[in-house]
Structures are given as C-alpha cells and as structure tokens.
Amino acid sequence: MKITISLLLWGFLFLFPLTNLQAQQDDKAVAETVVHLLSYVAMDYPGAVQNGEIINDPEYLEQQEFAEEAYVLVKETSLEQEVKTELLNQLKELQQLIDQKASEEDISRTANQVNNKIIELTGIETAPKVWPDFAKGKILYSQNCASCHGDNGKGDGPAGVVLEPAPSNFHDDNFIENFSPYQAYNSIRFGLPGTAMRAYSELNDNELWNLSFYIKSLHYQEKESDSVYLQEVFSEIKSDIGLATVATSTDKELREELDSAEKEAEAQLQALRTMEP
C-alpha cells in the first residue's frame, strides 16, 4: 500500500508535461500525503518506542518506512531547491532520530517542523471553515466506523476483533492525547497503509471534519459534566482559542494553549472537544 501511493504519485509527476499550475497542484497533492505520513509518525511513535527501547517491532518498522517515504516524495517535488534542501535535511534528521530511538518529544518536534513548513509553502487547509456538526458526525461514525471501532469508540466493534493491528481505541489516554482533529481528518481521508483503515475518499470535506471532530469528542463524552456549564465555558473561550487551533492541536497542545489552573483547563478542554456554537 505504501509503495502503491508513492508509485501513483511518481507516475503522475513524470508521465505528463506540467504547466506551473499543474506542478503546484501536484506538489500540493504530494504535500498532503507527506503531512499525513509525518502526522502519523508523530502520533504513533510512542506505540513503537519508549525510553529508547523498541516495544513493537512492526510499528517501529512502519515509522522508519513512513519517514523514508516522506523524504522520497519531497525530493520529487518542484519546490525551490533551497526550500527543498532544507526540508530534506530535516527529514534526514527525522530518519536518524527514529534510527536512534530518540524521545517522543524529539520525533514529534521534528516531524511537526517539517509539516508546518510544508503547510505554509503549499497553502494546505488544516481546519474547517465553520464549526463541525457533532450530530452529523455521529451519524457518519455509526455508518462508517462503529463496525470496527465499536459504538463508543473503544476499538471493540464486531468486525475489528480479528484485525491486526487492532482498531484504535479513542478512549486510550496516551493515544487521545497525541492526535488532533486534523490528524484524524487525514487518517480518514487517506487511510492508514499497513492497516485495515481504508481511505474514505467518498466523503466530502464537511463530512470529514464532522466525523473527525466527533471522534475526538468520544473520550470526553464519557466524563460526568454539566452541559449548560460546558456551553458557558465554550462561549467564553472559543473566540480566544479559535477553530483553527482546536482543529490542529492535540489535547496536550491545547492544555498548554489554555494556560489555566488544572481543573479549569480540563473543563475548557472538554468544552472545546464536545461543544459547538
């Protein structure tokens, strides 16, 4: 699957004469794939390496393969040579960090630096234009995800029991802390090579965002809360934090952005993950 993605992109780049506009469009398509691969590396690395030791060999091999594929894809773009060289150097550093079994923080920082630069250069949209609709997201989840991930997102759906690797559990504390709605959006849109998670290319942009935000809400729906209070909290902070930040931030990053007392920050985080205007 990983090889197929690369070959399709390479074939498109080499077989057709490209105008500047075509080159920009193809660079953007490649860039979206690279951002998806590196987001997955940043999100999934803790499941492969902890304290400098490999804890899951297949996951670790996947980290190496995804980082290498990102390097190859960037190398084939028509980006300005100076910019391309900078990105390739950072990607080579990422490969070395993975080989050295570096810390989660080092991997995440380096992968995100590359992604932020690529997003800036190509203008990839990383957030919805309006707040997603959780009710519509719930319907989409039931139709497309529940059979594997379970009705409540615990990875215990009837079709997921026999899958290897197992479907993600959206209530796992370590997992939920380390992915953003934008990363969920990319995983749904492009699929995850090497897993049963296929690409849902039939969903439009609004549907993808509705589903991504709903998935991120599942963990917080379990917590006891006063919905009226959460709506008040949401109304107070949504303009300060902003939809783009909510869409692109992991829970860990949002807590740092909130900069509140622990109890208050948890309520604010829950509000941002479960409420809508």
Side-chain angles (χ1 to χ4, degrees), residues 31-199:
E32 288 176 331
T33 302
V34 171
V35 169
H36 172 46
L37 291 172
L38 296 184
S39 294
Y40 187 73
V41 167
M43 177 177 67
D44 212 49
Y45 185 78
V49 176
Q50 289 184 8
N51 300 319
E53 298 291 335
I54 298 173
I55 61 171
N56 187 313
D57 288 319
E59 289 283 356
Y60 181 67
L61 179 61
E62 193 170 61
Q63 298 287 305
Q64 293 177 309
E65 290 174 346
F66 281 13
E68 181 181 357
E69 184 169 356
Y71 181 93
V72 172
L73 290 173
V74 168
K75 192 174 182 179
E76 300 301 331
T77 64
S78 60
L79 294 171
E80 292 182 7
Q81 190 57 49
E82 183 178 350
V83 172
K84 185 190 294 189
T85 299
E86 179 186 350
L87 290 172
L88 290 175
N89 287 339
Q90 289 178 308
L91 286 167
K92 182 61 69 176
E93 179 186 354
L94 178 63
Q95 290 176 298
Q96 292 170 349
L97 288 170
I98 294 173
D99 290 342
Q100 294 164 6
K101 306 172 191 65
S103 69
E104 170 191 342
E105 289 74 20
D106 287 340
I107 298 296
S108 179
R109 183 186 67 254
T110 307
N112 289 334
Q113 283 175 347
V114 177
N115 274 353
N116 290 339
K117 185 67 175 179
I118 289 174
I119 289 167
E120 178 187 344
L121 288 168
T122 59
I124 298 172
E125 293 188 1
T126 59
K129 294 179 174 62
V130 297
W131 282 90
D133 187 318
F134 286 96
K136 291 179 180 178
K138 182 176 182 179
I139 294 171
L140 288 165
Y141 180 86
S142 178
Q143 294 170 340
N144 298 285
C145 313
S147 60
C148 289
H149 291 280
D151 291 338
N152 297 312
K154 295 186 176 181
D156 56 357
V161 175
V162 297
L163 295 179
E164 183 60 41
S168 298
N169 175 2
F170 301 124
H171 297 267
D172 179 86
D173 288 335
N174 188 55
F175 180 69
I176 201 71
E177 282 284 306
N178 289 291
F179 82 95
S180 66
Y182 177 58
Q183 287 170 308
Y185 170 99
N186 275 330
S187 294
I188 299 165
R189 182 183 177 194
F190 294 110
L192 293 174
T195 76
M197 178 66 189
R198 71 171 180 87

Side-chain angles (χ1 to χ4, degrees), residues 227-239:
S227 60
V228 175
Y229 170 67
L230 286 180
Q231 191 66 54
E232 291 175 352
V233 171
F234 178 74
S235 298
E236 290 174 0
I237 63 173
K238 67 180 177 66
S239 58

